[in-house]
Amino acid sequence: MAQVLEFRLPDLGEGLTEALIVRWLVEVGEVVAVDQPVVEVETAKAMVDVPCPYGGVVTARFGEEGTELPVGAPLVTVAVGTPAHPDPAGDADRGSGNVLVGYGTSEAPARRRRVRREQAATAAPVAVTDTQASAAPARLDGPVPVISPLVRRLARENGLDLRELAGSGPDGLILRADVERALRDGATRPGSPAPIATPVPASHPVPAPAPASAEGTRVPLKGIRGAVADKLSRSRREIPDATCWVDADATELMHARVQMNAAGGPKISLLALLARICTAALARYPELNSTVDLGAREIVRLDRVHLGFAAQTERGLVVPVVRDAHTRNAESLSAEIARLTEAARTGTLTPAELTGGTFTLNNYGVFGVDGSTPIVNHPEAAMLGVGRIVPKPWVHEGELAVRQVVQLGLTFDHRVCDGGTAGGFLRYVADCVEQPAVLLRTL
């Protein structure tokens, strides 16, 4: 006899509590194999194909494309042990268990929006949060395809009738942009009476109108912006950070890169050279490759360097992680950074490639700025920032010359070390930038 098993949206990685259904990869009635991807979802950090741990016949899908689901919400149900797809182990409860980071939760967070199971088969599900259900607008005559409670509230507060809008999303889904466009085009509150002019005697001065309150567009802190906001806020709450910086003459480093690339073989990026300098500096100053265990009141010095680097994409800032960066040479670092950067641009980074960093390299010079005081990427202990490299007057070998100068900044957790250690790390990095031979002598 077939047994129907429910597969829920699994834990997709550190800090990710929800995902958007981008594309279903299976249909109801289709036979799926163990660990076959059944749906493509977009998280705050990446696009992910979610594999189902059960083999059998898909009996139901929950959520239309464009629906956002919380971790732990039902995704699909699968009938296992059917004649068409017998359970080879004779035990319908067995599956691979190999579902990304975890296997979800037994109950979705109450504060997250829910998709009602009875609505999953309709073309236009309407999801509301528990806290907003009582404030929902009166029932509309006929189904209106709206997903976000924010969209419904925005329309309600501006007196906009959603039945009059044509949605630009999948299957006519009404998006926030549709509501905002309608408001910009001059939509007004239906039935709103015109203001009545009250005559004022000439002997009485006309009171000045009350100042209008400032209005603007509300942007929800969700998706990648929400994940960044949560992480940076936690960093500011927990980490007593400090920043030190130094200007360095990068002329010789730039020359060294030109010579290395002229010798043939794969090209080496400047970021890869800076990454190699970072791993050498962390070997000398391991205090900065650590984390703080607040519960145990201990500093945990890590024996492996998983180097994160900031990458700006169309979806926002992400920090891919080069694993075991301390074991890689400049050529290997350059290849891995290039691979991760391309994955970041296309939104195909996996959760594993976005988590587990122990130190971050931030090249904000690409934005045309010289310096910054970045926030430490919690739970790491330090971040090296690199400004733009520009020609500047510089005293070189006792004479004034025009050299390629860069500002280096180190933001660090003052709990893991004092200023002497941080200054020593930064000075070593600057020495390697000014004289790349220093790095060769210490390898």
Side-chain angles (χ1 to χ4, degrees):
M1 179 179 295
Q3 180 180 2
V4 177
L5 299 180
E6 185 179 70
F7 173 48
R8 296 172 176 266
L9 179 65
D11 177 4
L12 298 172
E14 177 183 332
L16 302 178
T17 58
E18 57 197 9
L20 182 76
I21 295 177
V22 176
R23 182 167 59 99
W24 282 105
L25 305 177
V26 296
E27 300 289 341
V28 173
E30 184 176 338
V31 176
V32 295
V34 172
D35 289 342
Q36 176 180 333
V38 294
V39 65
E40 182 183 41
V41 301
E42 183 178 20
T43 71
K45 295 184 176 182
M47 301 282 284
V48 180
D49 286 346
V50 180
C52 178
Y54 308 123
V57 178
V58 177
T59 59
R61 302 185 317 193
F62 300 99
E64 298 297 320
E65 294 177 356
T67 303
E68 190 174 70
L69 298 179
V71 167
L75 270 181
V76 295
T77 54
V78 178
V80 300
T82 63
H85 194 283
D87 181 9
D91 182 356
D93 290 329
R94 295 185 59 181
S96 72
N98 182 26
V99 186
L100 302 178
V101 176
Y103 186 56
T105 60
S106 59
E107 185 176 354
R111 65 183 180 87
R112 296 290 179 181
R113 65 181 54 140
R114 302 169 184 266
V115 177
R116 300 180 186 274
R117 186 175 303 182
E118 60 269 21
Q119 293 175 326
T122 67
V126 179
V128 298
T129 61
D130 294 340
T131 57
Q132 291 171 323
S134 61
R139 185 179 62 84
L140 301 174
D141 294 330
V144 177
V146 183
I147 284 179
S148 171
L150 178 64
V151 172
R152 297 174 68 177
R153 186 176 71 241
L154 182 62
R156 182 174 67 252
E157 292 175 349
N158 288 275
L160 191 62
D161 190 344
L162 291 173
R163 291 171 297 186
E164 299 177 357
L165 296 187
S168 61
D171 297 323
L173 187 70
I174 298 175
L175 307 177
R176 178 190 179 95
D178 299 322
V179 175
E180 293 175 343
R181 187 180 305 109
L183 296 176
R184 286 196 303 270
D185 291 343
T188 58
R189 298 178 183 271
S192 298
I196 300 176
T198 303
V200 179
S203 58
H204 295 278
V206 178
S213 60
E215 296 181 359
T217 301
R218 291 178 176 267
V219 179
L221 277 175
K222 58 180 292 184
I224 193 166
R225 288 281 3 128
V228 170
D230 292 342
K231 193 157 194 174
L232 296 184
S233 296
R234 183 176 182 183
S235 178
R236 273 288 185 246
R237 287 194 306 269
E238 295 185 8
I239 299 178
D241 57 357
T243 301
C244 54
W245 57 88
V246 65
D247 289 341
D249 180 1
T251 306
E252 296 304 323
L253 181 67
M254 302 295 283
H255 285 168
R257 177 174 175 249
V258 170
Q259 292 171 355
M260 293 170 72
N261 289 335
K267 300 298 182 183
I268 297 175
S269 67
L270 178 61
L271 190 61
L273 292 178
L274 293 169
R276 182 64 191 90
I277 291 172
C278 278
T279 58
L282 289 172
R284 295 171 66 94
Y285 298 92
E287 298 92 333
L288 294 169
N289 192 56
S290 62
T291 188
V292 175
D293 185 340
L294 287 176
R297 292 188 62 81
E298 294 176 341
I299 296 172
V300 183
R301 291 185 182 173
L302 305 169
D303 54 5
R304 300 165 68 184
V305 177
H306 299 320
L307 185 69
F309 64 95
Q312 191 70 33
T313 71
E314 292 183 356
R315 300 176 63 243
L317 179 68
V318 295
V319 184
V321 176
V322 178
R323 309 200 76 79
D324 294 318
H326 60 292
T327 66
R328 298 175 181 265
N329 59 20
E331 183 178 314
S332 174
L333 285 167
S334 188
E336 183 66 357
I337 289 172
R339 183 189 72 81
L340 291 170
T341 299
E342 179 60 24
R345 288 172 179 162
T346 57
T348 56
L349 287 167
T350 66
E353 292 170 334
L354 285 162
T355 57
T358 64
F359 185 93
T360 296
L361 174 60
N362 187 358
N363 179 20
Y364 42 72
V366 296
F367 302 120
V369 299
D370 296 324
S372 174
T373 55
I375 300 175
V376 175
N377 190 18
H378 185 279
E380 298 170 13
M383 176 185 295
L384 178 68
V386 182
R388 60 177 181 161
I389 301 176
V390 292
K392 287 185 179 181
W394 190 267
V395 177
H396 177 66
E397 296 181 351
E399 295 184 357
L400 187 64
V402 176
R403 306 286 286 180
Q404 299 293 321
V405 178
V406 62
Q407 185 180 99
L408 305 170
L410 177 71
T411 297
F412 64 99
D413 185 338
H414 222 314
R415 297 172 299 180
V416 304
C417 69
D418 295 324
T421 299
F425 174 94
L426 189 58
R427 187 64 256 170
Y428 176 79
V429 170
D431 289 344
C432 290
V433 166
E434 293 185 341
Q435 304 175 47
V438 171
L439 178 60
L440 297 176
R441 286 198 300 268
T442 59
L443 294 179

